[in-house]
Amino acid sequence: MTRRGVFGIAAGLAASTMLPASTVAGTTDANIGATPMQGETRMSSGYVKTADGTEIYFKDWGPKDAQPIHFHHGWPLSADDWDAQLLFFLAHGYRVVAHDRRGHGRSSQVDTGNTIDRYAADASAVVEHLDLRNVVHIGHSTGGGEVARYVARYGQPQGRVAKAVLVSAIPPLMLKTPNNPEGTPLSVFDGFRAALAANRAQFYLDVASGPFYGFNRPGAKVSQGIIQNWWRQGMMGGAIAQYEGIKAFSETDQTDDLKAITVPTLVLQGDDDQVVPYKDAAVLQAKLIKNSTLKIYPGFPHGMLTTHADVINPDLLAFVKG
């Protein structure tokens, strides 16, 4: 099994996902929002220092008194991967927060704590620093695992979380084990580590230009901008954190996290996801989470939040508002 065979998605960037000049003047398209932003908007970004001294970068945009939506990115990316969603929800009047995972993006390039446990604790540090309440947490891929553990161990016990969304997320377990025979063999993840260590820049280019967005599918509309942006985000982070992150996202069993979640949870995934097979991810998530809603998108890839933002964003909004 090659890395191209394990990753995958299926479409070019829809024209409606671009930000037109008319949006600045107050007219928005289906992807950015149905109404212009109302009232004064507070734009900010900054860092929070965690208990072990790691500095976690975050963006915090929108009205301070609006309901917050906190976005958790996938491996090996950054908060920038949520651009289409941040602009969309900001235009709809929400407060939007997104942070760079430790070792990723603009956060400290630490060589410790690269585990799902620590990722969730770091997310909690951001939430507590900003004193966010009634939060909707949305996580993609590894960020979905981060959300599941955060909600189960921090958000629900603290009474800070309202809803959760898992998009193409890694739980309950990616690795093939005796108890998870349909999982991905360890040799595949060893291959990822070997490719990262040998030539991280080329490995990330191969992932972005091939399977992550389904650009390896016949007839796919390839976007060089999307490819370069994925590569840019990956190369911003630290190699050690991303290397160790492979173990975190592939070998962490989050079955108990899913069983512990009681808040309304939306589970989304494309059936052409070549990164995280949907039958072992979204389908199982929906079975294990008590109060869940499952939606599978025919032909959509792992990176569907980017390639199909015009479809996914309205579905996210309907769930948040519902």
Side-chain angles (χ1 to χ4, degrees):
M1 187 181 298
T2 66
R3 59 178 179 267
R4 285 183 177 271
V6 174
F7 288 92
I9 294 178
L13 180 66
S16 61
T17 63
M18 304 304 289
L19 179 62
S22 59
T23 300
V24 178
T27 302
T28 58
D29 69 8
N31 182 50
I32 302 302
T35 58
M37 289 180 286
Q38 302 293 322
E40 183 179 356
T41 298
R42 184 181 59 87
M43 299 287 200
S44 67
S45 62
Y47 289 86
V48 57
K49 184 171 287 189
T50 67
D52 68 350
T54 301
E55 292 188 328
I56 302 297
Y57 172 85
F58 64 85
K59 305 177 185 183
D60 177 17
W61 300 345
K64 189 173 182 180
D65 59 351
Q67 182 177 19
I69 304 176
H70 190 164
F71 297 89
H72 306 245
H73 67 80
W75 178 96
L77 304 173
S78 73
D80 294 355
D81 200 44
W82 290 104
D83 283 353
Q85 286 70 44
L86 296 177
L87 292 174
F88 176 84
F89 280 98
L90 189 64
H92 279 277
Y94 289 90
R95 179 180 182 179
V96 295
V97 175
H99 70 280
D100 291 351
R101 188 169 299 116
R102 64 171 49 216
H104 295 65
R106 290 140 292 206
S107 292
S108 299
Q109 292 197 8
V110 292
D111 60 353
T112 58
N114 298 302
T115 65
I116 295 295
D117 278 349
R118 191 66 248 181
Y119 297 163
D122 292 345
S124 183
V126 174
V127 172
E128 293 175 53
H129 174 73
L130 297 175
D131 194 24
L132 303 178
R133 299 182 184 276
N134 193 34
V135 189
V136 178
H137 287 272
I138 303 179
H140 175 243
S141 197
T142 300
E146 179 177 293
V147 165
R149 183 142 299 179
Y150 166 79
V151 170
R153 295 195 181 181
Y154 299 93
Q156 287 180 163
Q158 294 172 353
R160 291 180 178 271
V161 60
K163 297 180 180 180
V165 183
L166 305 181
V167 184
S168 309
I170 59 172
L173 176 63
M174 287 192 70
L175 183 67
K176 181 178 181 178
T177 67
N179 293 328
N180 187 39
E182 300 303 316
T184 303
L186 179 62
S187 60
V188 173
F189 300 113
D190 286 342
F192 294 169
R193 282 182 278 262
L196 188 156
N199 189 339
R200 182 169 65 129
Q202 186 61 53
F203 176 41
Y204 286 179
L205 186 61
D206 291 344
V207 171
S209 61
F212 194 92
Y213 295 110
F215 293 155
N216 57 338
R217 293 305 197 198
K221 183 180 178 181
V222 178
S223 167
Q224 290 301 318
I226 290 176
I227 293 169
Q228 291 172 24
N229 190 43
W230 199 101
W231 184 90
R232 175 190 67 85
Q233 292 178 71
M235 295 305 293
M236 283 172 64
I240 182 61
Q242 294 169 352
Y243 184 94
E244 293 182 350
I246 296 171
K247 180 180 179 67
F249 76 64
S250 64
E251 298 184 31
T252 305
D253 190 337
Q254 296 194 255
T255 301
D256 289 343
D257 292 332
L258 299 177
K259 290 180 178 180
I261 295 174
T262 58
V263 298
T265 303
L266 179 63
V267 177
L268 306 177
Q269 194 163 6
D271 70 2
D272 193 31
D273 189 328
Q274 299 171 72
V275 180
V276 180
Y278 80 98
K279 292 182 180 178
D280 300 321
V283 173
L284 295 182
Q285 292 159 21
K287 290 180 180 179
L288 291 167
I289 298 172
K290 299 177 181 66
N291 189 8
S292 65
T293 301
L294 173 65
K295 185 165 186 178
I296 302 296
Y297 298 87
F300 281 22
H302 189 66
M304 65 183 185
L305 284 160
T306 297
T307 59
H308 295 80
D310 58 325
V311 176
I312 306 298
N313 285 353
D315 288 348
L316 292 174
L317 179 63
F319 175 74
V320 170
K321 294 174 66 175

